[in-house]
């Protein structure tokens, strides 16, 4: 009985104090309660791991903790819609991925790139042309020459139609004036498996997704679709060096809904910058073979807008846009 | 024997690491609970625990994850047998005969058999992983889209053998499942089909449908008569099966473990497929196939050893090639990478000590699973003694929480409840639920891989007959489909000799035998 009384006292006290806190919310510094970080992909995947590493490292730079919530489905559309529709108070933020600039053009999303305010980009991975180590092509020129001579014969595996690595292969086909046979798989991993089994000729997934097999001597990266060479693979040329002006990246960063107040955005930007600089965060990314690619809000916005225009153009050309 | 030497050394190292052993106990226990709860699968359990392993040394972290993996696959069987709530898709196969045994008052022995079979299947597959990994590794790479398609067709043909009393009703249920499976993003074109504009329907909401069809439907049915207790049937008299019974099912266990291990190695095929295939093959080789579906102990043994046999197979390709054999190992691949271990051929060369200590730990995990499982069965069996007026709401609450947990989505709960209502009427009218689940697993796999195979061959249908594995699997599938027909024909001609027997058989398919 006595314990029951003390429990109810404690409950009453908590209710009152929570009430007071909410009353003082407008005056109090952001953030005064834990922040929810929406991840539009499943737990355990690359995006999820980046988000969790970020949430973990952000503890030192924010007075409140960040909790990761996975909202999966619709190739990311479900989670991204949820971020867009969240109350713009900074307590529900999200991990934005390159799909923000792709899904709207396919007519499967209720948001567009303008519905988000970018906070910071944390990671970016280029597309890479990878072939089996037994394949006859040693350089990207040989590969493209063969593709040109045999239109539609080279089978390129991707992580799903309309997904980033499919569009990378389409863009390459467009720029290099060749014709591939695109084979969609249920994610990057099955595509790499098919390449290992010699069922397809190449994949266009990121270097991080093939690094194990490359170091084991089973696969060979011919080129990366990046602005500069990857630090893990200094010997692999970029397409730009080969006079093909193409760079396709997938990226992951923190975004908030459009109408989020400026002071909240500024607080988050500062915290994200300090977190991204944190050695623990860099180490976590490095362990996952992911590239640390911090970009502040405005710079991140420029990337988003550039990609948005690029994919809109490409998807219209491919007849995928709606 | 290099492997044996290394394994013994692994055991030695393991003994000097009490923390790792403790964590494997934790992992197995957590895994069993997660597996038993509807909605929470082994995949999710591993994903949830993954962040906790970031700060641990590789051995402890990986052993905990392995524990969750093994326990999660096994845990599904407990609720499947006791309450007809498959905690995991694999346990949907176990539920078919397991729950019938519970109704007959043999819950104890069914649970005991499930535990032993899981242990044996799992241990067998880990031993294969340890001793045969390099030999078998390349097998997984032989599997291209056409082989996966043939495997899925074979899987679909199993509907004929799990249809229960009426093949027609089983087929209707199977086609319902196939229809549901067409909802979602087109696997090749990427455009939405039958989604009604809901982004939530982009991927087939498979687990909510399964929970609804089995667990919620069962709960709705229990509401008809809330006062009833399970009474005498609830007593768990004996858990460890007598040796004479066990010897009878040993052959089934060995065959199913082998099948499970092979299926585990195939990319994209996991414990769910293994359990159904093991069931089918057990029935095919059984001397009393008519008992399947009515409470056959060997069926429970087959499903469980098949499902757990998958674990070693899936780990085999993941560790040796860096190719995840199923969804769980795909998440585990991330865990390994995070620990600075790159799965692939180099892993065994560069980290041989760690790998073999891990193998030793996996064997320990399975022993732990056996011990924890057997010792907790009596407590878990108590569930049956709860009055239904308490149990039913608890089951429904668990269904809702479990469904929400998959995607944090209210939409899924609506799907689950709708499936529950459908499942309730299916039960009333004697339509089996497992063909729906099987079609949901196999349908998308068959469709995507058929179209992918066509794409790979540039539109030629040659892959159907000029690839040996594909052709063999398709032949087995045809055989499986026709087998019940042939058997029915033979039985009929036999029955024609004795007209009285014919009369006794005839009313059986029509009337519900509840």
């Amino acid at each position: 009985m006595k314990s029951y009384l003390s429990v109810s006292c404690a409950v009453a006290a908590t209710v009152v104090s929570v009430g007071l806190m909410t009353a003082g919310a407008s005056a109090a510094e952001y953030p005064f309660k834990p922040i929810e970080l929406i991840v539009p992909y499943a737990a355990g995947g690359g995006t999820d791991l980046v988000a969790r590493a970020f949430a973990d490292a952000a503890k030192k730079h924010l007075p409140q903790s960040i909790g990761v919530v996975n909202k999966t489905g619709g190739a990311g559309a479900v989670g991204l819609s949820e971020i867009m529709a969240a109350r713009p108070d900074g307590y529900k933020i999200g991990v934005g991925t390159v799909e923000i600039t792709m899904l709207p053009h396919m007519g499967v999303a209720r948001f567009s790139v303008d519905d988000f305010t970018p906070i910071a980009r944390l990671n970016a991975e280029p597309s890479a042309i990878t072939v089996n180590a037994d394949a006859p092509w040693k350089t990207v020129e040989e590969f493209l020459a063969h593709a040109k001579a045999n239109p539609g014969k080279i089978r390129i595996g991707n992580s799903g139609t309309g997904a980033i690595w499919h569009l990378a292969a389409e863009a390459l086909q467009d720029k290099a004036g060749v014709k591939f046979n695109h084979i969609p798989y249920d994610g990057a991993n099955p595509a790499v498996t098919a390449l290992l089994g010699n069922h397809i000729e190449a994949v266009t997934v990121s270097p991080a997704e093939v690094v194990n097999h490359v170091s084991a001597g089973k696969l060979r990266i011919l080129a990366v679709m990046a602005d500069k060479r990857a630090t893990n693979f200094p010997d692999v040329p970029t397409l730009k060096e080969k006079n093909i002006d193409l760079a396709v990246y997938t990226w992951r960063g923190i975004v908030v809904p459009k109408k989020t107040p400026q002071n909240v955005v500024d607080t988050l930007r500062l915290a994200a910058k300090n977190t991204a600089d944190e050695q623990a965060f860099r180490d976590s990314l490095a362990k996952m073979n992911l590239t640390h690619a911090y970009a502040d809000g405005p710079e991140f916005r420029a990337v988003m807008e550039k990609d948005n225009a690029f994919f809109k153009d490409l998807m219209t050309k491919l007849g995928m846009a709606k | 024997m290099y492997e044996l030497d290394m394994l013994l050394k692994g055991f030695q190292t393991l003994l000097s690491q009490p923390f790792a052993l403790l964590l494997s106990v934790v992992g197995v226990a957590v895994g069993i609970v997660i597996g038993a709860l509807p909605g929470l699968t082994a995949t999710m359990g591993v994903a949830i625990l993954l962040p906790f392993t970031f700060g641990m040394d590789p051995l402890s972290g990986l052993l905990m994850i392995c524990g969750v993996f093994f326990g999660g696959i096994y845990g599904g069987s407990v609720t499947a047998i006791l309450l007809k709530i498959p905690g995991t898709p694999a346990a949907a196969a176990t539920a078919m005969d397991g729950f019938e045994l519970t109704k007959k008052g043999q819950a104890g022995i069914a649970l005991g058999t499930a535990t032993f079979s899981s242990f044996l299947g799992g241990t067998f597959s880990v031993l294969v992983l340890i001793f045969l990994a390099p030999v078998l590794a390349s097998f997984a790479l032989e599997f291209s889209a056409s082989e996966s398609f043939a495997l899925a067709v074979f899987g679909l043909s199993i509907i004929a053998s799990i249809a229960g009393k009426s093949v027609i009703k089983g087929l209707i249920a199977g086609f319902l499942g196939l229809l549901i499976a067409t909802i979602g993003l087109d696997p090749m074109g990427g455009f939405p089909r039958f989604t009604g504009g809901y982004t939530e329907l982009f991927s087939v909401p498979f687990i909510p449908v399964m929970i609804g069809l089995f667990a919620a439907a069962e709960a709705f049915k229990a509401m008809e008569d809330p006062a009833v207790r399970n009474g005498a049937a609830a007593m768990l008299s004996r858990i460890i099966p007598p040796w004479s019974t066990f010897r009878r099912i040993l052959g089934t266990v060995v065959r199913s473990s082998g099948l499970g291990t092979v299926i585990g190695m195939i990319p994209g095929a996991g414990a769910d497929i293994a359990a159904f295939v093991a069931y089918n093959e057990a029935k095919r080789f059984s001397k009393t196939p008519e008992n399947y579906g009515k409470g056959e102990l060997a069926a429970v043994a087959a499903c469980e050893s098949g499902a757990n046999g998958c674990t070693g197979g899936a780990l085999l390709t993941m560790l040796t090639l860096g190719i995840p054999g199923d969804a769980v190992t795909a998440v585990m691949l991330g865990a390994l990478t995070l620990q600075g271990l790159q799965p692939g051929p180099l892993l065994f060369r560069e980290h041989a000590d760690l790998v073999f200590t891990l193998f030793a730990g996996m064997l320990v995990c399975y022993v732990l699973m056996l011990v924890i499982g057997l010792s907790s069965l009596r407590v878990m069996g108590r569930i049956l003694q709860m009055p239904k007026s308490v149990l039913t709401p608890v089951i429904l609450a668990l269904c809702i929480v479990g469904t929400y947990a998959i995607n944090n989505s209210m939409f899924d709960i609506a799907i689950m409840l709708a499936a529950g209502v459908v499942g309730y009427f299916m039960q009333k009218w004697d339509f089996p639920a497992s063909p729906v689940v099987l079609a949901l697993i196999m349908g998308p796999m068959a469709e995507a891989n058929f179209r992918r195979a066509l794409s790979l061959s540039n539109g030629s249908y040659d892959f159907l007959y000029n690839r040996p594995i594909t052709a063999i699997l398709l032949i087995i599938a045809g055989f499986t489909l026709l087998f019940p027909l042939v058997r029915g024909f033979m039985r009929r001609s036999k029955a024609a000799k004795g007209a009285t027997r014919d009369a006794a058989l005839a009313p059986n398919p029509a009337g519900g035998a509840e």
Side-chain angles (χ1 to χ4, degrees):
Chain A
M1 198 62 210
K2 201 174 177 188
S3 67
Y4 177 74
L5 203 70
S6 63
V7 166
S8 49
C9 275
V11 169
T14 321
V15 169
V16 170
S17 60
V18 166
L20 285 175
M21 272 165 70
T22 335
S26 51
E29 277 291 293
Y30 169 85
F32 66 86
K33 62 174 184 182
I35 298 169
E36 215 178 299
L37 179 65
I38 308 279
V39 176
Y41 297 95
T47 307
D48 178 67
L49 293 174
V50 171
R52 286 180 198 273
F54 177 81
D56 202 42
K59 277 183 196 139
K60 284 189 203 158
H61 306 289
L62 276 172
Q64 293 285 344
S65 62
I66 296 181
V68 174
V69 179
N70 301 85
K71 292 263 182 187
T72 54
V78 173
L80 291 171
S81 303
E82 171 125 359
I83 301 166
M84 173 210 68
R87 186 177 298 167
D89 57 4
Y91 290 104
K92 202 182 216 177
I93 64 176
V95 178
T97 58
V98 69
E99 280 76 14
I100 285 182
T101 63
M102 297 161 49
L103 293 170
H105 311 305
M106 299 170 79
V108 295
R110 281 169 295 198
F111 53 81
S112 76
V113 69
D114 301 322
D115 289 323
F116 301 94
T117 301
I119 299 293
R121 185 183 69 183
L122 301 171
N123 152 256
E125 302 294 334
S127 170
I129 304 163
T130 309
V131 297
N132 197 299
D134 306 332
W137 318 291
K138 305 282 181 228
T139 65
V140 69
E141 287 97 335
E142 288 172 27
F143 176 75
L144 288 175
H146 182 90
K148 203 164 251 172
N150 302 282
K153 283 273 159 38
I154 298 238
R155 295 167 293 187
I156 295 206
N158 61 57
S159 50
T161 298
I164 177 77
W165 303 138
H166 170 223
L167 293 174
E170 291 279 5
L172 174 65
Q173 172 175 297
D174 188 45
K175 292 268 181 192
V178 293
K179 181 96 189 74
F180 297 128
N181 181 4
H182 302 274
I183 316 282
Y185 283 86
D186 192 16
N189 234 320
V192 174
T193 305
L195 181 64
L196 282 170
N198 262 321
H199 303 297
I200 51 177
E201 275 74 42
V203 293
T204 43
V205 305
S206 71
E209 284 154 323
V210 293
V211 63
N212 294 345
H213 307 295
V214 173
S215 44
K218 302 270 177 196
L219 300 181
R220 175 165 63 234
I221 304 182
L222 296 181
V224 288
M225 303 186 196
D227 296 318
K228 57 178 197 296
R229 294 188 174 199
T231 38
N232 305 10
F233 301 102
D235 301 331
V236 175
T238 67
L239 277 186
K240 291 200 169 160
E241 292 170 35
K242 306 286 180 186
N243 294 321
I244 298 171
D245 183 24
L246 183 63
V248 179
Y249 287 91
T250 183
W251 39 258
R252 301 165 174 124
I254 305 294
V255 296
V256 293
K258 179 173 58 179
K259 292 196 179 113
T260 308
Q262 195 55 44
N263 67 321
V264 171
V265 171
D266 292 341
T267 310
L268 284 172
R269 261 174 68 189
L270 184 68
K273 181 175 169 28
N274 291 333
T275 307
D277 280 343
E278 190 81 36
Q279 194 56 43
F281 180 69
R282 286 172 182 273
D283 290 347
S284 306
L285 286 190
K287 267 190 195 169
M288 295 179 269
N289 298 313
L290 295 175
T291 318
H292 184 271
Y294 170 78
D296 196 16
E299 196 188 329
F300 186 18
R301 177 180 292 281
V303 172
M304 280 167 76
E305 272 164 9
K306 187 175 149 245
D307 280 358
N308 191 49
F310 174 74
F311 288 122
K312 188 176 181 187
D313 186 44
L314 183 65
M315 286 172 149
T316 315
K317 222 182 262 176
L318 294 174
M320 293 173 72
K322 280 209 186 98
Chain B
M1 282 300 270
Y2 166 76
E3 280 93 357
L4 205 60
D5 261 10
M6 291 298 288
L7 190 65
L8 289 176
K9 236 166 90 189
F11 274 114
Q12 274 174 9
T13 324
L14 195 65
L15 283 175
S16 61
Q17 301 216 13
F19 184 62
L21 283 174
L22 180 71
L23 278 175
S24 24
V25 177
V26 173
V28 171
V30 169
I32 293 178
V33 173
I34 285 180
L37 291 171
L40 299 180
T41 58
T43 318
M44 248 178 98
V46 169
I48 292 169
L49 280 189
L50 185 60
F52 292 102
T53 65
F54 289 179
M56 297 177 188
D57 65 289
L59 184 67
S60 312
L62 291 172
L63 271 188
M64 184 165 85
I65 288 182
C66 283
V68 176
F69 182 19
F70 301 165
I73 300 278
Y74 156 69
S77 69
V78 178
T79 39
I81 290 171
L82 288 176
L83 303 167
K84 206 184 176 187
I85 303 178
T88 57
T94 314
M96 289 190 289
D97 280 75
F99 188 63
E100 292 298 320
L101 282 166
T102 299
K103 278 207 278 192
K104 285 193 204 165
Q106 297 176 13
I109 248 176
L111 286 172
T113 308
T115 313
F116 270 108
S117 316
S118 297
F119 165 72
L120 290 174
T123 310
F124 173 84
S125 71
V126 173
L127 289 175
V128 170
L129 163 66
I130 297 170
F131 293 104
L132 297 175
V135 189
L136 293 175
S138 53
F139 168 72
L141 291 178
E142 293 296 317
F143 251 75
S144 176
S146 61
E147 283 79 14
S148 297
F149 159 70
L151 179 66
V153 170
F154 172 47
L156 283 171
S157 71
I158 293 175
I159 290 177
S161 81
I162 60 169
K165 293 172 200 123
S166 153
V167 177
I168 297 290
K169 285 185 177 176
L171 285 178
I172 292 176
F175 274 101
L176 174 73
L178 284 178
L179 280 181
I180 300 175
T182 57
I183 298 172
L185 284 185
D186 178 279
M188 299 294 279
F191 49 82
R193 301 188 299 204
F194 311 119
T195 60
Y198 290 102
T199 38
E200 287 89 346
L201 283 175
F202 275 9
S203 49
V204 185
F206 161 56
I207 292 182
V209 171
M210 188 192 81
I211 298 173
L213 281 180
F214 280 88
E218 200 62 35
F220 291 152
K221 198 174 139 219
M223 280 182 203
E224 286 180 345
D225 197 1
V228 174
R229 275 174 182 245
N230 281 321
M235 300 304 285
L236 289 192
S237 45
R238 176 172 190 150
I239 285 178
I240 298 171
W243 173 241
S244 58
T245 315
F246 199 73
R247 204 176 46 195
R248 194 164 56 81
I249 58 174
L250 201 61
T252 309
V253 170
V254 172
R255 179 176 346 100
S256 309
S257 309
L259 278 172
T261 311
V262 171
I263 292 174
M265 285 192 286
I266 297 169
D272 38 11
I273 299 179
F276 278 104
V277 170
Y279 181 98
N280 183 51
E281 295 312 306
K283 187 174 176 182
R284 193 200 303 271
F285 285 97
S286 169
K287 290 195 187 79
T288 52
E290 62 276 4
N291 283 350
Y292 280 68
K294 295 180 192 147
E296 170 66 58
L297 210 54
V300 173
C303 297
E304 283 306 304
S305 45
N308 277 80
C310 232
T311 52
L315 284 166
L316 190 152
T317 44
M318 195 268 277
L319 291 171
T320 50
L321 300 171
I323 298 170
D326 64 359
V328 187
T329 40
V331 180
M332 283 181 77
L333 191 69
L336 275 162
T337 319
L338 271 173
Q339 295 287 0
L341 302 168
Q342 309 282 1
L346 296 180
L347 183 70
F348 284 73
R349 234 176 292 153
E350 287 169 6
H351 301 278
D353 285 334
L354 178 66
V355 168
F356 278 92
T357 314
L358 194 60
F359 286 164
M362 286 177 191
L363 291 173
V364 170
C365 275
Y366 265 118
V367 174
L368 286 172
M369 192 195 83
L370 183 70
V371 172
I372 296 175
L374 285 180
S375 53
S376 60
L377 283 182
R378 264 182 210 288
V379 186
M380 296 210 235
R382 287 273 172 86
I383 299 173
L384 287 182
Q385 285 160 358
M386 265 197 201
K388 281 201 175 167
S389 55
V390 177
L391 187 58
T392 307
V394 170
I395 291 177
L396 267 183
L398 278 178
C399 292
I400 291 173
V401 172
T403 308
Y404 183 76
I406 305 164
N407 280 335
N408 296 320
S409 151
M410 290 302 287
F411 193 89
D412 286 353
I413 295 181
I415 290 181
M416 186 275 289
L417 290 175
V421 174
V422 173
Y424 170 78
F425 285 105
M426 284 176 65
Q427 271 204 1
K428 282 246 128 172
W429 298 326
D430 235 9
F431 285 95
S434 23
V436 183
V437 173
L438 192 64
L440 276 174
I441 299 170
M442 304 295 180
M445 183 171 160
E447 188 206 346
N449 283 302
F450 181 67
R451 292 173 61 189
R452 192 171 294 135
L454 265 184
S455 207
L456 282 169
S457 67
N458 260 326
S460 148
Y461 288 94
D462 290 348
F463 66 85
L464 290 174
Y465 47 84
N466 68 5
R467 297 182 69 100
I469 303 178
T470 311
I472 290 170
L473 280 170
L474 287 175
I475 291 168
I476 300 178
F479 185 62
T480 308
L481 262 182
L482 296 176
F483 192 53
L485 282 179
V486 172
R487 202 169 55 211
F489 183 74
M490 277 163 57
R491 192 184 298 160
R492 218 168 299 145
S493 62
K494 205 188 277 176
K497 290 172 191 164
T500 39
R501 206 186 243 182
D502 193 40
L505 274 170
N508 220 0
E514 273 304 288

